[in-house]
Amino acid sequence: MSKKKWLMAGLVGLSALTLAACGNNKSSNSGTTKHVSMPETYSGSGKATTAGNNSTLRVAEVNDAPFAGISSPTLLTNAEDSDVFSPGGGDSLFNVTKNYKIIDGGLANLRLNRKAKTATITLRKNARWSNGAKVTAKDIEYPYEIIGNKKTASQQYSSDYAAIKGMAAYHAGKAKTISGITYPDGQKGRTATIHYTRMSPSMQYLGSSFLWQTVEPYEYYGKTPISKLAASPKVRKNPIFTGPYKLDKIVQGESTSWSPNSYYYGKKAQIKHITIQVVSSNNIVAAFKSKKYDFANGQQNIVMPSSQYPKLKTLKDYAEVGTPSMNYSYFGFNLGQMNTKTGLNEMNKNAKMANKNLRKAMMYAIDINQVSKKFGNGLTWRANVLIPPVFKNVYNSKAAGFPYNMKKAKSLLNKAGYKKHGKWRTDPKGKKLIIHFGAMQSSSATEATYQYYVQQWHKLGLNVKYTTGKPMEMNSFYSTIQKPKQDAIDIWNAAWSTSSEPTPTQIYGADAPYNYGHFATKKNTQLLNSLNNEKAWNAKYRAQQFKKWQQYMNDQAAYAPEEFNLSWTPVNTRVKGYSVTTEGTNEFWSNLSLTATNPK
């Protein structure tokens, strides 16, 4: 992703229908292993043809549930929504280098002034929406109103945005506008200036939690209240975009269809029609074998079942393209609630999962190394921290994470007072303990993996049961854990599709709506703040603090890493110009062309 969102994504599937504990009592401490290497670009042989480009590019969105259908980048939460609307360009403001550093040449240019503590964003003269309307300075500012509004459906707010002057007052409902965002040439002009109380080194990069990087069509949305925007027809049925394609049709939850946007400022789209269609992880192999699709969607965050790699890599007329993903899967624990009055997450010392040794024991009891080794086909490997290794400058490769060690798991529980009474352990007060596990419906292989985890926890003496007796439909799962307070799920397994700037405040901060486990400590807040304080302009210091935070999160185990993965897809040989490299991200769709009218 080249956008600032922490998005939910489906889990990477495994091939086994059943999984049992395997290997010795201990396994490797390493959180990284060798994995399959793939090219990041592909261009089919021969020249693109008029007939080919006049045909339809067929793209698969691999997911085991319907997409929600929210087009607004500030309001959507699921990676699937971002994917199915991606030909519209995501309304991204900026152009970037291979390291996601913001440079000139996008929809707008950025100028940071550390001394004045300002960020000035200036739109290009030909910036227009797909309906022909001008993109304005107000369209730059409006996302901040949506994110910060007290009644918003957006989950993007965190304390980092409070560095904008007036944002805290606006967020608290004490002000109707954000005083720190001004318009040097008026709201309908081309420039917006954001005034900060402090500057952050992350502002230099796309995806900063201090600087939003998309626009929203203020005039087009009209007088729709922010609280009702996510459900409005202009967001769900008839959205407009600034990218290379405009939306022609949406079949809710199933597909989107696109044609070139004649108002796009950049490289003109070459293919006349694109369809993106949801395909389940159980059906994706058959779909590619029948040549129904040209590639799977997601770019740097494609979700493909790793178990199917051996079957797909042998397909004729397809090439495999991939890159280290910004996705990672994780386990979360329910530790409290969100205080809806203060907007702060609060931990409950009496919560069922409050004892960190219980959480750690559950992680040491599962052998993710062996699972990944046996079924990941070199495309997945055990994660050791909550920052993917693609962010090599700040990734903590030395952290052990939670390598399999059943003996240690049992010892942690014994010392913490979780004693066995018959088959199951009780809590330290001697009360009956039942732990509810939340997981999403997926392929039969992935669901078998869930069952393996449950079996291992049973061997540990913990009475773990699925929340609803079985894995949950994705949208139902997220509607449950997104509640300010819930007791249906004690531990869950999910994944994040992360931002291109790794600061995790928006997901693990004390006031982050995405902090579904409600983990909030002074130490966590201090470490998160240190990632972007004045000292953090020194890259060495910043990397050091990132690594401290990763180690601290492992020590607390409020969230625990599961797997890293390669983002990959087969690409049909009729496709030219396919690339998952960072540079040229804005032109991903307009760089594509076709040599034939149908997948070969």
Side-chain angles (χ1 to χ4, degrees):
M1 306 299 301
S2 59
K3 294 169 273 189
K4 180 57 189 170
K5 303 179 205 71
W6 293 88
L7 303 170
M8 286 71 80
L11 288 168
V12 177
L14 302 176
S15 61
L17 295 178
T18 59
L19 278 174
C22 49
N24 298 321
N25 193 49
K26 295 183 180 180
S27 62
S28 167
N29 281 336
S30 175
T32 57
T33 60
K34 290 183 178 180
H35 52 84
V36 172
S37 178
M38 295 183 186
E40 294 184 321
T41 61
Y42 176 75
S43 201
S45 61
K47 293 183 179 180
T49 64
T50 300
N53 285 341
N54 284 340
S55 68
T56 300
L57 177 72
R58 304 170 188 174
V59 183
E61 176 64 25
V62 184
N63 195 41
D64 293 294
F67 60 82
I70 299 175
S71 64
S72 161
T74 51
L75 291 168
L76 63 81
T77 56
N78 287 329
E80 292 75 23
D81 278 354
S82 179
D83 287 349
V84 299
F85 292 114
S86 59
D91 302 328
S92 181
L93 281 166
F94 305 120
N95 189 24
V96 295
T97 67
K98 64 180 180 179
N99 295 319
Y100 291 103
K101 193 167 187 177
I102 295 171
I103 56 174
D104 289 353
L107 186 72
N109 293 337
L110 172 70
R111 294 292 179 267
L112 299 177
N113 187 324
R114 285 180 65 185
K115 186 175 181 180
K117 297 179 182 178
T118 59
T120 299
I121 300 166
T122 303
L123 293 160
R124 60 194 308 136
K125 292 180 179 179
N126 59 341
R128 292 189 178 274
W129 292 98
S130 53
N131 66 350
K134 286 180 64 176
V135 183
T136 67
K138 181 64 180 180
D139 296 339
I140 297 171
E141 184 271 347
Y142 195 50
Y144 294 91
E145 289 190 35
I146 296 172
I147 291 168
N149 191 280
K150 202 170 178 65
K151 296 181 179 180
T152 188
S154 174
Q155 297 188 40
Q156 301 294 346
Y157 190 82
S158 77
S159 58
D160 288 347
Y161 282 116
I164 299 171
K165 289 182 178 180
M167 177 60 99
Y170 174 77
H171 183 61
K174 297 177 180 179
K176 292 184 178 181
T177 60
I178 305 167
S179 61
I181 304 181
T182 60
Y183 313 94
D185 52 359
Q187 290 190 12
K188 294 187 177 181
R190 294 170 43 221
T191 303
T193 298
I194 306 172
H195 302 260
Y196 292 90
T197 58
R198 61 189 177 96
M199 298 293 280
S200 158
S202 72
M203 294 176 186
Q204 303 169 92
Y205 299 91
L206 195 71
S208 168
S209 51
F210 291 80
L211 181 73
W212 191 253
Q213 66 293 301
T214 76
V215 284
E216 292 278 7
Y218 176 75
E219 292 287 346
Y220 183 70
Y221 287 159
K223 296 181 179 180
T224 305
I226 288 174
S227 62
K228 297 181 179 180
L229 204 53
S232 70
K234 289 184 177 179
V235 167
R236 288 184 175 264
K237 294 182 179 180
N238 303 298
I240 58 174
F241 300 90
T242 60
Y245 283 86
K246 62 183 179 69
L247 183 69
D248 291 331
K249 182 181 179 181
I250 178 170
V251 178
Q252 194 61 43
E254 297 180 12
S255 66
T256 57
S257 302
W258 305 79
S259 61
N261 171 18
S262 60
Y263 296 103
Y264 179 53
Y265 69 86
K267 183 176 180 179
K268 298 302 179 184
Q270 300 173 73
I271 301 171
K272 295 298 185 287
H273 307 282
I274 294 175
T275 61
I276 301 174
Q277 190 169 30
V278 172
V279 187
S280 74
S281 54
N282 283 326
N283 293 332
I284 191 60
V285 172
F288 275 121
K289 282 185 175 180
S290 63
K291 299 182 180 179
K292 191 173 181 180
Y293 299 103
D294 289 291
F295 56 81
N297 203 16
Q299 294 168 252
Q300 286 89 354
N301 281 314
I302 301 165
V303 178
M304 282 285 289
S306 60
S307 60
Q308 307 296 356
Y309 176 62
K311 296 178 182 178
L312 290 170
K313 74 174 182 178
T314 60
L315 287 181
K316 292 183 179 180
D317 299 317
Y318 283 90
E320 286 69 49
V321 181
T323 187
S325 180
M326 292 181 192
N327 285 343
Y328 67 91
S329 54
Y330 72 98
F331 292 92
F333 294 89
N334 185 15
L335 304 179
Q337 59 278 320
M338 166 73 85
N339 185 321
T340 55
K341 292 183 178 180
T342 64
L344 295 174
N345 288 291
E346 297 173 347
M347 294 175 69
N348 178 1
K349 65 180 181 180
N350 296 315
K352 188 186 299 183
M353 310 308 292
N355 191 311
K356 74 175 182 180
N357 286 324
L358 170 61
R359 306 192 296 265
K360 285 184 173 182
M362 293 184 74
M363 294 300 98
Y364 282 120
I366 55 179
D367 196 341
I368 298 169
N369 267 332
Q370 289 297 324
V371 168
S372 297
K373 181 180 178 182
K374 191 170 184 179
F375 303 110
N377 293 303
L379 301 173
T380 68
W381 58 101
R382 181 177 69 84
N384 61 324
V385 289
L386 297 172
I387 295 287
V390 67
F391 300 109
K392 57 185 179 181
N393 292 336
V394 298
Y395 165 66
N396 191 340
S397 62
K398 295 181 179 179
F402 299 94
Y404 176 59
N405 190 332
M406 183 63 83
K407 183 178 179 180
K408 184 172 184 177
K410 290 179 178 179
S411 176
L412 284 168
L413 289 184
N414 291 337
K415 290 178 181 178
Y418 292 86
K419 296 179 181 179
K420 261 196 170 186
H421 292 274
K423 185 177 181 181
W424 306 120
R425 294 176 185 267
T426 59
D427 70 15
K429 294 181 179 179
K431 293 182 179 179
K432 185 178 180 180
L433 178 64
I434 299 176
I435 298 172
H436 296 103
F437 175 42
M440 286 173 279
Q441 290 174 357
S442 188
S443 67
S444 55
T446 299
E447 292 187 16
T449 311
Y450 301 152
Q451 190 57 39
Y452 161 71
Y453 293 150
V454 172
Q455 289 171 359
Q456 287 300 98
W457 294 328
H458 285 178
K459 289 182 180 181
L460 188 57
L462 295 174
N463 188 2
V464 179
K465 299 179 178 181
Y466 287 118
T467 290
T468 58
K470 60 183 180 180
M472 304 168 70
E473 189 273 333
M474 183 189 76
N475 295 303
S476 175
F477 167 84
Y478 277 113
S479 68
T480 300
I481 64 170
Q482 286 170 355
K483 292 177 181 177
K485 184 178 182 180
Q486 61 86 20
D487 57 10
I489 297 175
D490 300 312
I491 176 176
W492 68 89
N493 189 202
W496 289 113
S497 175
T498 73
S499 164
S500 45
E501 201 289 314
T503 299
T505 311
Q506 285 178 287
I507 186 171
Y508 300 122
D511 57 355
Y514 278 145
N515 186 350
Y516 299 138
H518 312 294
F519 175 65
T521 65
K522 288 183 179 180
K523 180 70 172 177
N524 185 46
T525 299
Q526 289 170 356
L527 285 170
L528 287 174
N529 288 342
S530 75
L531 305 181
N532 288 293
N533 62 16
E534 193 62 28
K535 291 181 181 178
W537 288 90
N538 180 301
K540 186 176 180 180
Y541 169 86
R542 192 170 194 246
Q544 181 185 54
Q545 296 307 109
F546 258 99
K547 291 173 182 179
K548 283 183 180 179
W549 176 81
Q550 290 164 74
Q551 191 62 57
Y552 174 72
M553 292 300 280
N554 279 356
D555 176 66
Q556 295 297 301
Y559 295 93
E562 186 198 23
E563 285 185 323
F564 296 136
N565 66 284
L566 197 73
S567 175
W568 68 283
T569 181
V571 179
N572 190 264
T573 53
R574 75 163 177 154
V575 177
K576 296 186 73 69
Y578 182 93
S579 174
V580 289
T581 59
T582 307
E583 291 176 289
T585 298
N586 290 349
E587 306 294 4
F588 172 83
W589 293 103
S590 49
N591 280 335
L592 298 172
S593 60
L594 300 173
T595 64
T597 55
N598 291 294
K600 294 181 179 179

